Amino acid sequence: MADTWESLRAECMQCQGCGLAGGRTHVVFGDGSQTARVLFVGEGPGQNEDEQGVPFVGKAGQLLDDMLAMIGLDRTQVYIANIVKCRPPQNRDPLNTEREACFPFLRRQMALLQPKLLVCLGRIAATELIKPDFKITREHGQWFERDGMLLMAMYHPAALLRDPAKKPETFEDLKSLQQKIREVCPETVLRRDW
Ligand code: URA
């Protein structure tokens, strides 16, 4: 039977597909508009996200909200998901086995959403979605085309919190994203124009 958002979410909530299931408080399925044209994909839930069941609600999430606001967007106009839906212990990188077990959920979310633009937040999402040897320092801000969708990666907000010197480059990436939204997502209303 074809997925609906409700059936997919319900299936994801029950998932026991990898070892992360045993340590979770909440599955973090995703947040935002189910008709968004722009999809942001992070790595996996941290402590705050695990507690609340919503992606990007901790300090990195506040910065993501600020980044969206800089280009006239808020999280109700985009969709936000992660490569893995359950928190890795001590926020370690998700293992390959965990990513592989979880990836079909993201694929099915993408099939429902059919985004025009996909923004990878950080290296883990970029290596999973753009190419396995993606180099975030060299290739952030570049656009790639895949199956009629345009993809780019920017630094993960947590990386920007650790190293604020990366913020000016990220601002350029955000402006490039805003330009692409103007070009290919006319239905997305930008409340701020650079
Ligand atoms: N970092 C992520 O990659 N995802 C979240 O949801 C929160 C922090």
Side-chain angles (χ1 to χ4, degrees), residues 54-93:
V54 181
F56 284 97
V57 288
K59 282 208 178 87
Q62 282 164 24
L63 181 54
L64 179 60
D65 287 341
D66 292 345
M67 289 159 65
L68 293 174
M70 274 182 193
I71 54 168
L73 288 175
D74 64 46
R75 65 163 71 205
T76 67
Q77 298 172 280
V78 300
Y79 197 84
I80 305 174
N82 280 306
I83 295 290
V84 296
K85 313 294 195 221
C86 297
R87 183 189 180 200
Q90 280 81 49
N91 301 338
R92 64 154 168 74
D93 287 354

Side-chain angles (χ1 to χ4, degrees), residues 3-18 20-22 24-31 45 50 53 55 79-87 98-99 101-110 112:
D3 283 330
T4 64
W5 281 103
E6 292 69 29
S7 65
L8 184 60
R9 178 186 280 272
E11 187 181 327
C12 193
M13 292 299 148
Q14 309 275 318
C15 181
Q16 298 290 331
C18 79
L20 298 180
R24 73 182 176 224
T25 312
H26 289 107
V27 174
V28 179
F29 179 71
D31 187 32
D50 176 61
Y79 197 84
I80 305 174
N82 280 306
I83 295 290
V84 296
K85 313 294 195 221
C86 297
R87 183 189 180 200
E98 294 158 355
R99 297 188 210 186
C102 211
F103 200 64
F105 284 117
L106 182 62
R107 277 255 163 269
R108 290 159 70 187
Q109 286 175 306
M110 285 163 62
L112 285 167

